[in-house]
Amino acid sequence: MVHRGRPDARFSGRAVASLILLSLLAANVAAGLSVADVDAAHAAHGVGLPEPGRAATGGTLRADGTERFEAIPPRAPAAAGDAPAPGAPARAHAPMDAAPAIPRLEPAAPWLNLLAGDGGDAAQDEHGAIQFVCPESDGTDFVSTDGLAQTVVVRANCPFRVIDDQDLLGSPQVAVDPDDPNKLAFFSLHGSATDQGATERSRSTASGTLGARQSHTTFTSVTQGMQWQDNPHGREGYGEMADGIMDRSGRIYSTYLFSSPIGVVDDETVFDFHFQLYHDNDVTDGMSHFGTKVRNRDAGNAIEEVNLVLVTPRTQIESQQEYEALQNRTEERADPFNGTAAPASDDQVGQRADGRPGNYTDDPRQDVVVAVWHERAYDHRNSTTGKSSWIDAVWTRVGNETDWHHLDQSQLIGPCRDASDPAAFNGRVYVACVVDAGYTARAGATIGEIDVWAIDPITGETERMSTVPGMEGGRPRLAMNADGRMVLATTKLLGEGPSHDAAMTFLSWGWYGSRWDGTPVPVIDFAGLWYEEILEARVTAMELMDGTHSLFLSYSERGNNTLGSPTVDPNGNEPVSPNDFIEYGKLLTKFQHCRANALLLYDLQVGQVRHPFQEGIVNNQTGAFDDLQDGMATWIHPDTGEPFVYFVYGDHGVVQYGAFSGLSSGSSPCIPGPVPPLFSPPPPIPASLAPPVGAPLGLSMAAGLASTAALTLLVRRKRASIVALATKAK
């Protein structure tokens, strides 16, 4: 239930693209495979039989039979055309239902380092190289059969290539269990391409060769992505987007966005939008439990995407008022019968004896799952919200997944021409709003400016935090880390539409959503990288690391496909030639706050090998591959502290999967200083400075004020000295 209350084809010679990038920036893993049999254990839930001495997860078995986990051991990249090593030991398999024959499947194309021509090795040593790593594998394909439908994981190369033989995947998001990196999920569109839906990305559930399809799916793995289980869902309309997260206990939360035709106005079909929220106990649950259904506020209103975010409890004080409220709050420790304080338990050791907490505590049971979306009114003149567009939200506490609360209409954010995905910090959700006409939250606001807002799921209130100075462009994306650092990215298309000459991405760095470091930086100019005419461009994912504060960003661009089209084999078995036009390009980049340009830059080379059963989707149908997002999620190794960023990205109907390792800052680290504190409580007045007993009130006040001022000055000087020493140490 929901409570409504509070002219050229794509360059085949990548050297040209590399030279262009080098001049602009001035800086700075394929083999033919036979189909493997299916592991018998996977019939139950996707777990393969281990080789002798090897756990199913790819970790090593101890002598006592327990498993020692080794986080994604890296594999040497395979060169194009290499074959699996001869004489590789065969794995033991049990018989399963016979599966239809699958043609030879090509692995993913290796990434192309666009900075390799300018002392690339030295640049990687200096800035810290990215290595894409996958679970240790014997290189054979994995096939899961459900009736006649099959999921194939091509594992000859890294990244792995996840294929649903009957359905087109797209716009994926990934989640990892924080306590067990073997347990993963990615959320994706499903079904078939259609030109009858609300968008080019729409997925149809129309019957295929195996019967009616489903529009969305959650793929789960208990083997760190060695094997995947397809869990499709949805026939409530056309599929538009899927998203999901895991909480700190490994529970899965997912959302599926649908559109449905409701009428025709002026020969144009009008669509309604709604999304459904589900949860699973963990990746082995095998089914999605319904939480609630959320409709747009008025019929015909459009929703392009819905994003989920996990909000952990507030742990930092942000204001004097908040500080005083905590100091004056007394926890219930007194006995209800005689008022005597109960003896403390062991877990209360270290807390204040007077029962006043003085600060917040982090309790995972108080975590909140929030869904955020941007909604556009079908008819702004009759909008019941009084806005033409707005940012909306629903939320629930973990463990109470059927009790969702909807943002009150008075707290809607907008009007917004566009909105970012949400990011969470210190008990609140942050989201960026691109100002539209009628925006009154700030006097003198200009259309196109970007304001950052906070949503508090505890109070149900929204608050405008800041205006991002000088930010340009649309399609904003937002990222935050545990320190409260924030990065906002936008992409601006240059030239007259519908085709554009170039695209430029801007980054702005700040803290807490309320403070920004100068003006935004145009970090990459994509003029002529892949296409002479660009239809769409966007940042599809961002992950801001703790510690090094490095930003990893994926970018997608769509070229004008009227300028060329791939040669299609009528039998659908031959991969697209790299010399043919490929409609989409994707990059993975690395940035740091104190450097202006990309430190590392990789062309993901999508489209080199298309969906092996859907190669006929070309020209006007390729909008089905226009991913709104890709997925990144960080997992920290508990023993070494080494971070791994799990990464899934769409590639013409299939999903590429793996993780980054080697996320150091390199030999030339660029680590900015600490962020300023959210709030500094007033220092206590020493007893020696307290006014004498019986002193006149006026004297007491004057002495107290003078003493406090002197102490504050001393504290400021001491802080300045510490900062100076830290700066000198660098």
Side-chain angles (χ1 to χ4, degrees):
M1 63 185 296
V2 177
H3 298 282
R4 295 184 184 270
R6 293 276 224 196
D8 195 356
R10 181 178 182 177
F11 297 113
S12 57
R14 297 302 178 103
V16 176
S18 180
L19 290 173
I20 292 173
L21 257 293
L22 291 171
S23 63
L24 289 171
L25 298 178
N28 330 110
V29 117
L33 298 173
S34 59
V35 178
D37 294 327
V38 185
D39 290 335
H42 187 270
H45 202 286
V47 181
L49 294 175
E51 299 172 13
R54 173 68 59 184
T57 59
T60 302
L61 292 175
R62 296 188 179 96
D64 62 4
T66 60
E67 180 184 350
R68 176 172 62 84
F69 172 68
E70 297 174 345
I72 317 183
R75 299 169 52 234
D82 284 354
R91 297 178 59 141
H93 300 281
M96 283 195 64
D97 294 337
I102 293 182
R104 167 191 173 99
L105 299 182
E106 297 291 336
W111 292 3
L112 180 68
N113 186 342
L114 295 181
L115 296 182
D118 185 25
D121 293 340
Q124 292 192 15
D125 290 340
E126 180 182 1
H127 302 308
I130 300 173
Q131 183 179 10
F132 206 62
V133 294
C134 292
E136 190 172 13
S137 165
D138 60 8
T140 58
D141 291 355
F142 168 79
V143 183
S144 170
T145 304
D146 180 10
L148 294 178
Q150 297 181 100
T151 296
V152 185
V153 184
V154 182
R155 305 182 299 196
N157 210 357
C158 189
F160 287 178
R161 191 163 173 248
V162 185
I163 306 167
D164 186 324
D165 69 341
Q166 294 292 315
D167 298 274
L168 294 175
L169 307 178
S171 295
Q173 184 56 267
V174 68
V176 56
D177 188 325
D179 295 325
D180 186 354
N182 298 304
K183 296 180 178 180
L184 300 165
F186 75 78
F187 315 86
S188 173
L189 286 171
H190 199 251
S192 61
T194 178
D195 59 2
Q196 302 298 308
T199 69
E200 290 184 292
R201 288 175 297 277
S202 296
R203 294 297 196 268
S204 172
T205 59
S207 296
T209 57
L210 303 181
R213 294 182 168 95
Q214 292 170 293
S215 55
H216 302 79
T217 188
T218 296
F219 274 75
T220 54
S221 175
V222 294
T223 59
Q224 209 176 67
M226 285 272 290
Q227 303 144 329
W228 291 94
Q229 177 71 42
D230 185 7
N231 303 284
H233 175 85
R235 295 193 178 110
E236 288 77 22
Y238 295 106
E240 299 296 342
M241 187 182 178
D243 198 57
I245 58 172
M246 285 191 193
D247 68 13
R248 290 192 276 180
S249 299
R251 286 186 292 256
I252 299 175
Y253 299 83
S254 55
T255 180
Y256 303 139
L257 176 63
F258 299 89
S259 67
S260 304
I262 57 174
V264 177
V265 177
D266 296 332
D267 296 328
E268 294 288 336
T269 303
V270 179
F271 290 85
D272 211 23
F273 288 79
H274 77 274
F275 60 92
Q276 297 179 354
L277 292 152
Y278 291 84
H279 63 277
D280 299 82
N281 295 322
D282 62 21
V283 298
T284 66
D285 194 345
M287 63 182 296
S288 293
H289 306 280
F290 179 74
T292 195
K293 178 177 181 177
V294 180
R295 296 185 178 276
N296 47 9
R297 289 188 178 256
D298 293 312
N301 289 359
I303 301 173
E304 186 174 54
E305 58 182 306
V306 182
N307 299 108
L308 294 179
V309 62
L310 181 70
V311 184
T312 57
R314 180 169 295 193
T315 58
Q316 298 186 43
I317 299 171
E318 297 190 12
S319 67
Q320 178 71 27
Q321 181 181 7
E322 194 177 343
Y323 171 78
E324 292 175 354
L326 276 171
Q327 298 303 308
N328 294 327
R329 189 183 77 191
T330 302
E331 293 181 345
E332 295 294 333
R333 293 186 183 175
D335 188 286
F337 295 100
N338 59 16
T340 303
S345 60
D346 290 342
D347 60 4
Q348 290 177 313
V349 172
Q351 297 180 9
R352 286 176 51 155
D354 60 7
R356 295 176 178 174
N359 210 329
Y360 294 108
T361 56
D362 185 15
D363 182 356
R365 296 170 300 178
Q366 302 302 314
D367 291 354
V368 176
V369 177
V370 182
V372 180
W373 69 97
H374 178 235
E375 187 169 330
R376 289 185 173 90
Y378 169 68
D379 182 358
H380 68 275
R381 296 163 298 185
N382 296 304
S383 173
T384 58
T385 66
K387 295 177 171 63
S388 61
S389 56
W390 55 89
I391 297 171
D392 209 340
V394 295
W395 60 89
T396 188
R397 200 177 295 280
V398 296
N400 193 21
E401 293 86 358
T402 60
D403 190 24
W404 291 80
H405 299 261
H406 201 160
L407 195 65
D408 187 79
Q409 181 170 303
S410 66
Q411 298 299 312
L412 295 176
I413 301 167
C416 306
R417 291 168 55 85
D418 207 345
S420 73
D421 55 332
F425 173 72
N426 200 35
R428 296 201 286 184
V429 178
Y430 294 83
V431 63
C433 164
V434 182
V435 172
D436 203 352
Y439 185 88
T440 59
R442 171 170 56 88
T446 302
I447 296 171
E449 288 183 322
I450 299 179
D451 280 6
V452 173
W453 286 71
I455 304 171
D456 190 330
I458 302 303
T459 65
E461 297 177 346
T462 59
E463 178 185 3
R464 193 189 73 83
M465 303 299 295
S466 67
T467 300
V468 186
M471 203 63 171
E472 298 182 58
R475 311 296 313 185
R477 302 288 300 190
L478 201 59
M480 296 187 78
N481 67 8
D483 296 333
R485 292 187 186 275
M486 174 180 282
V487 180
L488 179 67
T490 60
T491 300
K492 184 177 183 179
L493 292 171
L494 307 176
E496 298 295 328
S499 293
H500 303 268
D501 300 331
M504 184 172 289
T505 294
F506 297 83
L507 292 181
S508 192
W509 301 74
W511 305 268
Y512 313 132
S514 57
R515 312 174 194 182
W516 298 94
D517 185 15
T519 58
V521 178
V523 291
I524 300 181
D525 183 348
F526 293 104
L529 173 59
W530 291 309
Y531 311 108
E532 289 190 353
E533 296 186 16
I534 302 171
L535 295 179
E536 292 185 81
R538 62 174 63 90
V539 173
T540 56
M542 294 201 305
E543 192 76 357
L544 183 59
M545 307 302 294
D546 298 331
T548 64
H549 309 295
S550 297
L551 175 72
F552 294 93
L553 178 152
S554 61
Y555 167 89
S556 177
E557 189 174 288
R558 181 182 181 186
N560 188 342
N561 61 3
T562 63
L563 302 178
S565 61
T567 303
V568 180
D569 173 19
N571 297 319
N573 294 330
E574 293 298 325
V576 175
S577 167
N579 295 320
D580 290 319
F581 185 89
I582 299 174
E583 298 87 342
Y584 295 91
K586 286 190 176 181
L587 293 173
L588 176 69
T589 63
K590 175 182 178 180
F591 297 95
Q592 286 184 323
H593 187 181
C594 45
R595 300 188 188 275
N597 296 321
L599 304 181
L600 300 172
L601 188 64
Y602 295 87
D603 183 344
L604 303 184
Q605 298 213 91
V606 297
Q608 299 291 328
V609 184
R610 292 177 181 250
H611 193 296
F613 311 101
Q614 306 280 346
E615 288 186 304
I617 298 180
V618 295
N619 300 327
N620 292 334
Q621 293 183 310
T622 57
F625 306 139
D626 191 15
D627 298 319
L628 283 176
Q629 67 175 3
D630 294 306
M632 294 185 186
T634 301
W635 178 79
I636 307 296
H637 196 292
D639 297 327
T640 65
E642 182 180 5
F644 291 84
V645 177
Y646 288 80
F647 185 32
V648 296
Y649 57 97
D651 181 358
H652 291 78
V654 306
V655 165
Q656 313 281 18
Y657 157 76
F660 311 142
S661 71
L663 303 180
S664 69
S665 296
S667 60
S668 178
C670 169
I671 302 177
V675 297
L678 270 170
F679 170 76
S680 298
I685 300 176
S688 60
L689 298 179
V693 177
L697 181 60
L699 176 60
S700 300
M701 292 179 63
L705 290 171
S707 301
T708 302
L711 185 59
T712 302
L713 179 60
L714 289 174
V715 169
R716 286 177 178 169
R717 287 178 176 171
K718 186 174 182 179
R719 286 179 180 166
S721 300
I722 293 174
V723 172
L725 288 173
T727 304
K728 184 176 181 181
K730 292 181 181 179

